[in-house]
Each structure stands twice: as structure tokens, then as C-alpha cells.
Amino acid sequence: MNVTLDLSRSPATPVQPARVNLSGLTRIGLANALVEAGLVEQKQARMRAGQIWGWIHNYGVTDFGQMSNVAKELRAKLDDTFTLARPEIVERQVSKDGTRKYLLRTAPGIEIESVYIPDVGRSGALCVSSQVGCTLNCTFCHTGTQPLVRNLTAAEIVAQVQVCRDDLGEWPSDRPDRLLSNIVFMGMGEPLYNLGAVSDAIDIISDGEGIGLSRRRITVSTSGVVPELENLGNKTQAMLAISLHATNDELRDKLVPLNKKYPIEQLMAGIRAYPGLSNARRVTFEYVMLKGVNDSPAEARALVQLLKGIPAKINLIPFNPWPGSPYECSSWSTIETFAAILNKAGYASPIRTPRGRDILAACGQLKSESEKLRASARRKLAVEPTLEPGPADAVVDG
Ligand code: SAH
Ligand code: SF4
């Protein structure tokens, strides 16, 4: 029996691989990508990558067509192979106090929050996320109730900085009056469980021929992933912040369950060994103030004892409640009493004033609010089946 293969019919539409976003590649990664795509010869790679780098990270362009010192033919090929697209801005809110909150979507289900806070650091700090959700379950943190969706890529971390700079009108990068001077990895997720992407993103945003944020103005906050502390210091030279919240293992086990794996003694040893620690480069200890849980004068004194000999700053964070949270924020006078004990021991003005409360700019709140809104939109759709889910989402979120 003869079998004839019919090759005339076109195959099913091939799935196009997503174009790599060049914003997320380090300088070396960019040069390699150009060579691997066959667009540039090896011996020209560094020079070409340098030109393209300047357009992306100094001028903030999102269109290869604007790269006027790159040959037209190469620009067209770059456009065919790569992308510089920014994520979709699902929501942008500006608080009365100037705090700006962004909800970005980079792919279906990948929604990222970041918050710009003016007058923090040298001129203003952007709080960025490193994961969608979190694998850890700190009991006071709303992100901890959301399962990990996935790690963010370096491109998605850098994009948070780019979008904020677009919004603040801060391109080109080398201007003296910049409003965005500091970056803190204190949004959603545990940065030390995504250190590869976090470290690449820090290489990119600290590069002197690009966004040029000093590594000393980039702070990475961790709940205490002890085995990664040394890598963090060696790879990034970033400033370290530790979410401590308790001075004994019994309580910290409850508040930050990761403490069961890496108890306080191990954590303190890891911190003491953090590369580059000095009086000019202190560790920040974050301490969330929970009414009747960790806010007594005895605990303030225990905190002073625990930090002895470590170049340290302390940040007292008034607890931000969320629906269903099992804690309350300590009263202002309790926080002041606690702070006074720390002040007496030499730690200056450690209370972090709440910012952007009117736009729910606290940790984890934005995403959960927009999720709640979308859930109510879905309920509406159940009774109005003629509406398409996409536009309804956009109406609710926009
Ligand atoms: N996963 C990292 C970084 C993100 S959390 C970490 O835990 O350090 C950033 C900071 O916000 C942490 O210090 C965290 O303890 C704090 N935080 C989380 N939920 C909070 C809440 N409801 N109120 C006040 N601070 C909170
Ligand atoms: Fe994760 Fe940090 Fe929240 Fe803990 S505090 S659940 S580590 S994001």
C-alpha cells in the first residue's frame, strides 16, 4: 500500500517564542545576545552593546528606531528579534503626600506592585518587588497569604524602575536633580530566593553609563535567608536590611516561620559576616510594631543587647493592618516609649512614618485590593454574560 504524505496544508500556526526584553540583560548578557542572534560580530559586540546600552538605560528609549547612531539595518533586525516594551500599567495612583503606587502587568497573571516614596533616602525611594507572592508565611504580612506565582525576571525588576522614571520624567539618567535616588527591595517577595535576577537587576540599575544608582543607595531586605547573605554581599554590594521583628526564637518562630530553619543566633552570625559591613555601611533592622506582641520596653532593651557590636540602624514600622490580619498596630505612645529606649542606646529617630495610607501603598495591599475589585467584576459578569472579561478587567482596574 502506498502512503502519500500531504505536505501542501500549512501546519498549525507556530507558537512565536516571546522576544527577549533587552532591558533585563546585563552589559555582558547584552553583548552575548547580539552575537548569538547573529546581529553583530564578536569583535564588535562590546562596542555595539555599549551604544545600545546607552539608549536603553541612559535615554530610556523603548523604540529601536530612536537609536540614531546605530545603522538602520541593524535597528530593524533588533526590532525583529528583541523588544524594549514596558509592562502594561494596570493602575497608577498618587497620594496626597506624593507617594506613587504602580500596579504593572508583564504577562497574564503576573502583576507586580511598586511604590515610590518621596523624601526618603537622598531624594526619594522606589520600593520594588522581587517575586509575585511569597513562599514564606510571615503571619503579619499580607503577601505571605498569597502563594508564590513565580520569581520575577531581571527585566521585570528593572521595568519597575523604568516605569517610575518614565512617570517622574527622569530621562536621560545623568541629571543632578533626580527624584528617584534610592531603591529598596521591600515590595512583594523574598529577594534572596531570587538572587540571580535581583543581582542582575542591581548590576543594570547601578551601571554608571545607565541609570547609575549607587549600590550604597540600593537596599535588599530579607526575612533571614542566612545561607544567601554572603552571596548577596559579594554579588551586589547592596545595603542589607533584616526583617527581625522579635528578639527571641519563640516569638520569631511565630512571626517569621523561616526562623525555625535559621534561628536568631545563626542569623546574627550571618549578619556579622556580611561583606563590607562598617559604620558607614550599617545593616538596617526592621521591626514591625505589633500591639501586645513584641512592643514592650523589655523587648526594646533586648533588641539593644542583641545588636551590640553590629553596625546597625533600626527601623520601627507601624504595623499596616489588612482585612483579616491577626494583629493590631501598637499605640503611638507605646512606639514612642520603645523608640526612646533605642534612642538612649544611640539609635537615632527610628520610627518609619506611614506613607501613602490613602492609596493603600503598604506592603501587599495594592495587589490584594485590585484582586478584590476583579473578583467583584467577575461576580458581575456571572449575571451579565455578554461582557468580555478583558475589557471589564480594564474598566475596573483603570
Ligand atoms: N521578604 C522581604 C522583603 C519584603 S517585605 C522581607 O521580609 O524582608 C518588606 C518589609 O515589610 C519587611 O520588613 C516586612 O516585615 C514588612 N511588612 C510586611 N507586612 C507588613 C505589614 N502588614 N505592616 C508593616 N510592615 C510589614
Ligand atoms: Fe514574604 Fe517578606 Fe512577607 Fe515574610 S514579610 S511573607 S518574607 S514578603
Side-chain angles (χ1 to χ4, degrees):
M1 190 179 77
N2 275 342
V3 179
T4 328
L5 283 178
D6 178 5
L7 300 174
S8 62
R9 261 181 291 155
S10 57
T13 318
V15 179
Q16 292 287 334
R19 285 184 295 167
V20 170
N21 195 317
L22 292 185
S23 306
L25 301 183
T26 58
R27 240 174 213 278
I28 295 170
L30 176 57
N32 289 342
L34 297 176
V35 175
E36 275 162 27
L39 302 189
V40 166
E41 281 178 45
Q42 184 73 54
K43 58 180 192 297
Q44 284 195 324
R46 269 183 66 161
M47 186 270 291
R48 286 277 174 244
Q51 283 176 327
I52 294 169
W53 181 271
W55 287 109
I56 303 174
H57 298 294
N58 186 24
Y59 289 100
V61 305
T62 54
D63 175 4
F64 291 106
Q66 286 178 273
M67 300 185 173
S68 55
N69 61 354
V70 175
K72 244 190 175 156
E73 205 181 306
L74 177 56
R75 281 188 253 161
K77 286 185 189 161
L78 284 168
D79 198 30
D80 287 342
T81 320
F82 300 112
T83 178
L84 290 173
R86 299 280 198 264
E88 177 193 348
I89 301 175
V90 179
E91 196 171 334
R92 169 188 175 273
Q93 282 179 282
V94 182
S95 156
K96 287 193 295 246
D97 66 18
T99 301
R100 292 166 187 239
K101 189 175 69 167
Y102 309 95
L103 181 66
L104 311 178
R105 186 184 292 143
T106 57
I110 304 301
E111 292 187 346
I112 311 169
E113 68 170 344
S114 44
V115 179
Y116 169 77
I117 311 153
D119 313 315
V120 167
R122 202 192 61 185
S123 53
L126 181 68
C127 174
V128 296
S129 296
S130 56
Q131 300 182 310
V132 178
C134 188
T135 53
L136 303 172
N137 302 296
C138 303
T139 46
F140 53 85
C141 173
H142 196 238
T143 306
T145 66
Q146 300 164 25
L148 178 72
V149 178
R150 72 159 163 79
N151 280 341
L152 295 182
T153 62
E156 288 166 334
I157 297 171
V158 172
Q160 297 172 61
V161 181
Q162 292 174 319
V163 164
C164 181
R165 304 188 84 233
D166 291 345
D167 193 29
L168 295 170
E170 302 234 290
W171 306 106
S173 294
D174 49 6
R175 43 201 300 158
D177 55 343
R178 301 205 297 197
L179 294 174
L180 173 48
S181 58
N182 295 61
I183 302 286
V184 292
F185 283 80
M186 293 183 186
M188 294 177 83
E190 170 49 58
L192 297 201
Y193 282 154
N194 187 18
L195 188 52
V198 165
S199 148
D200 280 356
I202 291 177
D203 281 351
I204 294 166
I205 61 180
S206 64
D207 186 284
E209 286 166 37
I211 296 173
L213 291 168
S214 157
R215 289 174 191 268
R216 301 177 64 137
R217 297 211 171 90
I218 300 174
T219 301
V220 176
S221 173
T222 176
S223 55
V225 186
V226 175
E228 293 296 339
L229 289 176
E230 196 178 341
N231 279 340
L232 173 72
N234 289 336
K235 280 186 167 179
T236 69
Q237 293 97 53
M239 304 297 282
L240 176 65
I242 298 286
S243 296
L244 189 64
H245 310 313
T247 54
N248 62 74
D249 284 326
E250 200 191 342
L251 179 58
R252 195 162 190 272
D253 282 353
K254 287 193 194 121
L255 300 180
V256 185
L258 186 66
N259 193 68
K260 290 182 209 149
K261 206 165 174 187
Y262 310 117
I264 292 178
E265 205 180 312
Q266 274 185 39
L267 176 60
M268 298 321 264
I271 295 166
R272 284 176 207 275
Y274 189 69
L277 208 61
S278 72
N279 276 336
R281 293 172 66 87
R282 291 164 189 263
V283 182
T284 301
F285 285 89
E286 295 157 279
Y287 196 97
V288 63
M289 297 301 291
L290 303 170
K291 189 181 211 159
V293 174
N294 64 354
D295 60 356
S296 69
E299 278 157 310
R301 287 190 288 273
L303 183 55
V304 171
Q305 284 303 317
L306 195 60
L307 303 193
K308 268 215 169 116
I310 300 180
K313 290 187 273 198
I314 303 169
N315 240 323
L316 296 183
I317 316 174
F319 171 62
N320 281 302
W322 35 274
S325 58
Y327 303 106
E328 284 174 67
C329 183
S330 311
S331 71
W332 198 249
S333 66
T334 305
I335 300 179
E336 280 188 331
T337 307
F338 199 99
I341 296 168
L342 305 179
N343 281 339
K344 223 174 140 195
Y347 299 100
S349 45
I351 308 172
R352 191 193 288 172
T353 40
R355 305 293 298 270
R357 281 239 159 135
D358 53 334
I359 56 165
L360 297 168
C363 183
Q365 281 183 335
L366 169 59
K367 180 94 190 314
S368 46
E369 277 306 298
S370 72
E371 265 167 8
K372 252 186 352 217
L373 288 172
R374 266 200 299 283
S376 86
R378 271 195 296 275
R379 278 195 296 278
K380 267 199 213 145
L381 286 175
V383 290
E384 293 166 20
T386 49
L387 282 176
E388 291 292 323
D393 269 7
V395 169
V396 172
D397 291 327

